mmCIF file of all heavy atoms in Angstrom:
data_model
loop_
_atom_site.group_PDB
_atom_site.id
_atom_site.type_symbol
_atom_site.label_atom_id
_atom_site.label_comp_id
_atom_site.label_asym_id
_atom_site.label_seq_id
_atom_site.Cartn_x
_atom_site.Cartn_y
_atom_site.Cartn_z
ATOM 1 N N THR A 1 40.146 145.068 103.457
ATOM 2 C CA THR A 1 39.570 145.274 102.127
ATOM 3 C C THR A 1 40.299 146.427 101.449
ATOM 4 O O THR A 1 41.483 146.345 101.200
ATOM 5 C CB THR A 1 38.051 145.495 102.208
ATOM 6 O OG1 THR A 1 37.767 146.650 102.996
ATOM 7 C CG2 THR A 1 37.360 144.296 102.813
ATOM 8 N N GLU A 2 39.612 147.545 101.187
ATOM 9 C CA GLU A 2 40.254 148.658 100.501
ATOM 10 C C GLU A 2 40.827 149.696 101.472
ATOM 11 O O GLU A 2 41.433 150.659 101.058
ATOM 12 C CB GLU A 2 39.254 149.341 99.573
ATOM 13 C CG GLU A 2 38.773 148.442 98.457
ATOM 14 C CD GLU A 2 37.787 149.127 97.547
ATOM 15 O OE1 GLU A 2 37.373 150.245 97.865
ATOM 16 O OE2 GLU A 2 37.444 148.533 96.521
ATOM 17 N N ASN A 3 40.606 149.481 102.771
ATOM 18 C CA ASN A 3 41.061 150.454 103.760
ATOM 19 C C ASN A 3 42.363 150.014 104.409
ATOM 20 O O ASN A 3 42.825 148.897 104.251
ATOM 21 C CB ASN A 3 40.005 150.628 104.861
ATOM 22 C CG ASN A 3 38.723 151.225 104.317
ATOM 23 O OD1 ASN A 3 38.771 152.020 103.392
ATOM 24 N ND2 ASN A 3 37.599 150.843 104.881
ATOM 25 N N ILE A 4 42.956 150.901 105.184
ATOM 26 C CA ILE A 4 44.098 150.576 106.021
ATOM 27 C C ILE A 4 43.608 150.585 107.460
ATOM 28 O O ILE A 4 43.115 151.584 107.965
ATOM 29 C CB ILE A 4 45.227 151.607 105.853
ATOM 30 C CG1 ILE A 4 45.703 151.621 104.398
ATOM 31 C CG2 ILE A 4 46.378 151.290 106.782
ATOM 32 C CD1 ILE A 4 46.283 150.309 103.915
ATOM 33 N N LEU A 5 43.708 149.442 108.117
ATOM 34 C CA LEU A 5 43.280 149.321 109.499
ATOM 35 C C LEU A 5 44.466 149.583 110.410
ATOM 36 O O LEU A 5 45.506 148.964 110.287
ATOM 37 C CB LEU A 5 42.749 147.903 109.749
ATOM 38 C CG LEU A 5 42.424 147.530 111.185
ATOM 39 C CD1 LEU A 5 41.247 148.347 111.675
ATOM 40 C CD2 LEU A 5 42.121 146.060 111.284
ATOM 41 N N LEU A 6 44.308 150.502 111.335
ATOM 42 C CA LEU A 6 45.368 150.836 112.274
ATOM 43 C C LEU A 6 44.915 150.444 113.670
ATOM 44 O O LEU A 6 43.849 150.858 114.122
ATOM 45 C CB LEU A 6 45.672 152.335 112.212
ATOM 46 C CG LEU A 6 46.166 152.795 110.833
ATOM 47 C CD1 LEU A 6 46.053 154.298 110.707
ATOM 48 C CD2 LEU A 6 47.583 152.360 110.589
ATOM 49 N N VAL A 7 45.683 149.607 114.342
ATOM 50 C CA VAL A 7 45.226 149.063 115.610
ATOM 51 C C VAL A 7 46.254 149.270 116.711
ATOM 52 O O VAL A 7 47.431 149.451 116.459
ATOM 53 C CB VAL A 7 44.923 147.555 115.504
ATOM 54 C CG1 VAL A 7 43.937 147.266 114.401
ATOM 55 C CG2 VAL A 7 46.204 146.757 115.292
ATOM 56 N N LYS A 8 45.774 149.219 117.936
ATOM 57 C CA LYS A 8 46.630 149.264 119.111
ATOM 58 C C LYS A 8 46.150 148.208 120.090
ATOM 59 O O LYS A 8 44.962 148.098 120.348
ATOM 60 C CB LYS A 8 46.563 150.640 119.770
ATOM 61 C CG LYS A 8 47.405 150.755 121.044
ATOM 62 C CD LYS A 8 47.284 152.145 121.633
ATOM 63 C CE LYS A 8 48.113 152.276 122.890
ATOM 64 N NZ LYS A 8 47.994 153.623 123.489
ATOM 65 N N VAL A 9 47.066 147.414 120.592
ATOM 66 C CA VAL A 9 46.726 146.440 121.617
ATOM 67 C C VAL A 9 46.826 147.133 122.964
ATOM 68 O O VAL A 9 47.877 147.655 123.321
ATOM 69 C CB VAL A 9 47.684 145.240 121.576
ATOM 70 C CG1 VAL A 9 47.276 144.211 122.616
ATOM 71 C CG2 VAL A 9 47.688 144.615 120.192
ATOM 72 N N THR A 10 45.742 147.130 123.702
ATOM 73 C CA THR A 10 45.703 147.863 124.954
ATOM 74 C C THR A 10 45.886 146.915 126.135
ATOM 75 O O THR A 10 45.938 145.704 125.980
ATOM 76 C CB THR A 10 44.361 148.593 125.104
ATOM 77 O OG1 THR A 10 43.334 147.607 125.225
ATOM 78 C CG2 THR A 10 44.078 149.455 123.898
ATOM 79 N N ARG A 11 45.950 147.455 127.327
ATOM 80 C CA ARG A 11 46.240 146.645 128.507
ATOM 81 C C ARG A 11 45.159 145.619 128.802
ATOM 82 O O ARG A 11 45.426 144.571 129.342
ATOM 83 C CB ARG A 11 46.438 147.556 129.725
ATOM 84 C CG ARG A 11 47.689 148.395 129.627
ATOM 85 C CD ARG A 11 47.981 149.107 130.938
ATOM 86 N NE ARG A 11 49.149 149.955 130.815
ATOM 87 C CZ ARG A 11 50.396 149.522 130.891
ATOM 88 N NH1 ARG A 11 50.626 148.237 131.078
ATOM 89 N NH2 ARG A 11 51.414 150.348 130.754
ATOM 90 N N ASN A 12 43.923 145.915 128.452
ATOM 91 C CA ASN A 12 42.868 144.946 128.715
ATOM 92 C C ASN A 12 42.524 144.113 127.490
ATOM 93 O O ASN A 12 41.522 143.421 127.461
ATOM 94 C CB ASN A 12 41.612 145.648 129.233
ATOM 95 C CG ASN A 12 41.032 146.615 128.227
ATOM 96 O OD1 ASN A 12 41.560 146.766 127.131
ATOM 97 N ND2 ASN A 12 39.944 147.272 128.591
ATOM 98 N N GLY A 13 43.355 144.167 126.462
ATOM 99 C CA GLY A 13 43.172 143.313 125.305
ATOM 100 C C GLY A 13 42.177 143.814 124.288
ATOM 101 O O GLY A 13 41.938 143.171 123.278
ATOM 102 N N LYS A 14 41.573 144.997 124.532
ATOM 103 C CA LYS A 14 40.618 145.551 123.577
ATOM 104 C C LYS A 14 41.303 146.560 122.671
ATOM 105 O O LYS A 14 42.422 146.983 122.923
ATOM 106 C CB LYS A 14 39.460 146.214 124.313
ATOM 107 C CG LYS A 14 38.600 145.230 125.111
ATOM 108 C CD LYS A 14 37.443 145.948 125.787
ATOM 109 C CE LYS A 14 36.586 144.965 126.574
ATOM 110 N NZ LYS A 14 35.469 145.646 127.270
ATOM 111 N N LEU A 15 40.614 146.936 121.613
ATOM 112 C CA LEU A 15 41.136 147.929 120.689
ATOM 113 C C LEU A 15 40.448 149.266 120.948
ATOM 114 O O LEU A 15 39.274 149.314 121.278
ATOM 115 C CB LEU A 15 40.876 147.499 119.243
ATOM 116 C CG LEU A 15 41.410 146.125 118.869
ATOM 117 C CD1 LEU A 15 41.113 145.830 117.417
ATOM 118 C CD2 LEU A 15 42.899 146.059 119.126
ATOM 119 N N TYR A 16 41.191 150.347 120.783
ATOM 120 C CA TYR A 16 40.639 151.659 121.068
ATOM 121 C C TYR A 16 40.823 152.606 119.897
ATOM 122 O O TYR A 16 41.858 152.605 119.239
ATOM 123 C CB TYR A 16 41.328 152.266 122.300
ATOM 124 C CG TYR A 16 40.837 151.696 123.589
ATOM 125 C CD1 TYR A 16 41.287 150.466 124.027
ATOM 126 C CD2 TYR A 16 39.896 152.371 124.357
ATOM 127 C CE1 TYR A 16 40.827 149.925 125.219
ATOM 128 C CE2 TYR A 16 39.444 151.840 125.548
ATOM 129 C CZ TYR A 16 39.910 150.625 125.984
ATOM 130 O OH TYR A 16 39.454 150.094 127.142
ATOM 131 N N LYS A 17 39.820 153.417 119.663
ATOM 132 C CA LYS A 17 39.960 154.522 118.729
ATOM 133 C C LYS A 17 40.811 155.601 119.381
ATOM 134 O O LYS A 17 40.680 155.883 120.558
ATOM 135 C CB LYS A 17 38.589 155.102 118.383
ATOM 136 C CG LYS A 17 37.733 154.191 117.533
ATOM 137 C CD LYS A 17 36.348 154.763 117.345
ATOM 138 C CE LYS A 17 36.376 156.057 116.598
ATOM 139 N NZ LYS A 17 35.023 156.574 116.320
ATOM 140 N N ASP A 18 41.651 156.241 118.593
ATOM 141 C CA ASP A 18 42.525 157.270 119.139
ATOM 142 C C ASP A 18 41.766 158.547 119.469
ATOM 143 O O ASP A 18 42.107 159.265 120.384
ATOM 144 C CB ASP A 18 43.640 157.572 118.127
ATOM 145 C CG ASP A 18 44.679 158.519 118.701
ATOM 146 O OD1 ASP A 18 45.229 158.224 119.772
ATOM 147 O OD2 ASP A 18 44.921 159.557 118.086
ATOM 148 N N ASP A 19 40.694 158.818 118.720
ATOM 149 C CA ASP A 19 40.027 160.107 118.886
ATOM 150 C C ASP A 19 39.299 160.246 120.213
ATOM 151 O O ASP A 19 39.278 161.307 120.815
ATOM 152 C CB ASP A 19 39.071 160.384 117.718
ATOM 153 C CG ASP A 19 38.077 159.262 117.492
ATOM 154 O OD1 ASP A 19 38.162 158.249 118.205
ATOM 155 O OD2 ASP A 19 37.236 159.414 116.603
ATOM 156 N N CYS A 20 38.690 159.159 120.710
ATOM 157 C CA CYS A 20 37.932 159.297 121.946
ATOM 158 C C CYS A 20 38.201 158.169 122.942
ATOM 159 O O CYS A 20 37.637 158.153 124.026
ATOM 160 C CB CYS A 20 36.436 159.341 121.645
ATOM 161 S SG CYS A 20 35.819 157.839 120.868
ATOM 162 N N GLY A 21 39.060 157.200 122.564
ATOM 163 C CA GLY A 21 39.358 156.116 123.481
ATOM 164 C C GLY A 21 38.216 155.160 123.701
ATOM 165 O O GLY A 21 38.170 154.430 124.675
ATOM 166 N N GLU A 22 37.266 155.112 122.776
ATOM 167 C CA GLU A 22 36.091 154.265 122.950
ATOM 168 C C GLU A 22 36.435 152.801 122.659
ATOM 169 O O GLU A 22 36.950 152.482 121.589
ATOM 170 C CB GLU A 22 34.996 154.721 121.980
ATOM 171 C CG GLU A 22 33.750 153.851 121.997
ATOM 172 C CD GLU A 22 32.793 154.230 120.892
ATOM 173 O OE1 GLU A 22 33.071 155.191 120.168
ATOM 174 O OE2 GLU A 22 31.762 153.539 120.754
ATOM 175 N N PRO A 23 36.161 151.883 123.593
ATOM 176 C CA PRO A 23 36.461 150.468 123.340
ATOM 177 C C PRO A 23 35.454 149.847 122.386
ATOM 178 O O PRO A 23 34.265 150.166 122.421
ATOM 179 C CB PRO A 23 36.353 149.838 124.733
ATOM 180 C CG PRO A 23 35.407 150.715 125.468
ATOM 181 C CD PRO A 23 35.631 152.114 124.940
ATOM 182 N N PHE A 24 35.929 148.955 121.531
ATOM 183 C CA PHE A 24 35.059 148.224 120.621
ATOM 184 C C PHE A 24 34.942 146.789 121.103
ATOM 185 O O PHE A 24 35.929 146.102 121.263
ATOM 186 C CB PHE A 24 35.630 148.243 119.199
ATOM 187 C CG PHE A 24 35.506 149.574 118.538
ATOM 188 C CD1 PHE A 24 36.511 150.518 118.674
ATOM 189 C CD2 PHE A 24 34.394 149.903 117.790
ATOM 190 C CE1 PHE A 24 36.405 151.746 118.079
ATOM 191 C CE2 PHE A 24 34.285 151.140 117.190
ATOM 192 C CZ PHE A 24 35.288 152.071 117.335
ATOM 193 N N GLU A 25 33.734 146.332 121.351
ATOM 194 C CA GLU A 25 33.545 144.974 121.845
ATOM 195 C C GLU A 25 33.851 143.963 120.737
ATOM 196 O O GLU A 25 33.783 144.259 119.557
ATOM 197 C CB GLU A 25 32.102 144.789 122.326
ATOM 198 C CG GLU A 25 31.728 145.686 123.489
ATOM 199 C CD GLU A 25 32.585 145.413 124.719
ATOM 200 O OE1 GLU A 25 33.075 144.285 124.846
ATOM 201 O OE2 GLU A 25 32.765 146.330 125.538
ATOM 202 N N GLU A 26 34.167 142.756 121.150
ATOM 203 C CA GLU A 26 34.586 141.718 120.209
ATOM 204 C C GLU A 26 33.509 141.438 119.153
ATOM 205 O O GLU A 26 33.814 141.266 117.980
ATOM 206 C CB GLU A 26 34.908 140.431 120.973
ATOM 207 C CG GLU A 26 35.608 139.376 120.139
ATOM 208 C CD GLU A 26 37.018 139.781 119.789
ATOM 209 O OE1 GLU A 26 37.579 140.633 120.499
ATOM 210 O OE2 GLU A 26 37.540 139.245 118.798
ATOM 211 N N ALA A 27 32.258 141.401 119.562
ATOM 212 C CA ALA A 27 31.195 141.121 118.607
ATOM 213 C C ALA A 27 31.127 142.196 117.534
ATOM 214 O O ALA A 27 30.894 141.920 116.358
ATOM 215 C CB ALA A 27 29.859 141.009 119.325
ATOM 216 N N PHE A 28 31.328 143.449 117.938
ATOM 217 C CA PHE A 28 31.311 144.539 116.976
ATOM 218 C C PHE A 28 32.474 144.411 116.008
ATOM 219 O O PHE A 28 32.335 144.609 114.808
ATOM 220 C CB PHE A 28 31.396 145.878 117.704
ATOM 221 C CG PHE A 28 31.443 147.063 116.789
ATOM 222 C CD1 PHE A 28 30.290 147.626 116.270
ATOM 223 C CD2 PHE A 28 32.661 147.618 116.420
ATOM 224 C CE1 PHE A 28 30.339 148.708 115.431
ATOM 225 C CE2 PHE A 28 32.719 148.709 115.571
ATOM 226 C CZ PHE A 28 31.560 149.256 115.074
ATOM 227 N N LEU A 29 33.636 144.049 116.554
ATOM 228 C CA LEU A 29 34.815 143.889 115.707
ATOM 229 C C LEU A 29 34.578 142.830 114.643
ATOM 230 O O LEU A 29 34.883 143.020 113.475
ATOM 231 C CB LEU A 29 36.029 143.501 116.544
ATOM 232 C CG LEU A 29 36.673 144.627 117.337
ATOM 233 C CD1 LEU A 29 37.710 144.044 118.290
ATOM 234 C CD2 LEU A 29 37.330 145.623 116.412
ATOM 235 N N LYS A 30 34.018 141.704 115.045
ATOM 236 C CA LYS A 30 33.808 140.612 114.110
ATOM 237 C C LYS A 30 32.872 141.018 112.979
ATOM 238 O O LYS A 30 33.056 140.634 111.832
ATOM 239 C CB LYS A 30 33.229 139.397 114.840
ATOM 240 C CG LYS A 30 34.214 138.723 115.776
ATOM 241 C CD LYS A 30 33.560 137.555 116.490
ATOM 242 C CE LYS A 30 34.535 136.884 117.453
ATOM 243 N NZ LYS A 30 33.911 135.773 118.186
ATOM 244 N N ALA A 31 31.861 141.796 113.299
ATOM 245 C CA ALA A 31 30.851 142.138 112.303
ATOM 246 C C ALA A 31 31.229 143.335 111.452
ATOM 247 O O ALA A 31 30.860 143.421 110.285
ATOM 248 C CB ALA A 31 29.516 142.418 113.009
ATOM 249 N N LYS A 32 31.962 144.289 112.028
ATOM 250 C CA LYS A 32 32.115 145.577 111.377
ATOM 251 C C LYS A 32 33.543 145.971 111.013
ATOM 252 O O LYS A 32 33.743 146.926 110.266
ATOM 253 C CB LYS A 32 31.560 146.682 112.294
ATOM 254 C CG LYS A 32 30.108 146.493 112.692
ATOM 255 C CD LYS A 32 29.185 146.661 111.511
ATOM 256 C CE LYS A 32 27.721 146.615 111.964
ATOM 257 N NZ LYS A 32 26.791 146.759 110.827
ATOM 258 N N ILE A 33 34.519 145.266 111.517
ATOM 259 C CA ILE A 33 35.881 145.785 111.438
ATOM 260 C C ILE A 33 36.355 146.005 110.006
ATOM 261 O O ILE A 33 37.106 146.922 109.717
ATOM 262 C CB ILE A 33 36.852 144.866 112.200
ATOM 263 C CG1 ILE A 33 38.134 145.612 112.541
ATOM 264 C CG2 ILE A 33 37.173 143.607 111.415
ATOM 265 C CD1 ILE A 33 39.021 144.880 113.514
ATOM 266 N N ALA A 34 35.915 145.180 109.073
ATOM 267 C CA ALA A 34 36.363 145.316 107.691
ATOM 268 C C ALA A 34 35.828 146.571 107.025
ATOM 269 O O ALA A 34 36.344 146.993 105.994
ATOM 270 C CB ALA A 34 35.933 144.093 106.880
#
């Protein structure tokens, strides 16, 4: 949308925030990523 999404593909296929390394589950990504 109006933001810039920055992503990293990790070894287990999940995405991680750089600040704390917290994994985001797929359901959360689908609902909230935008």
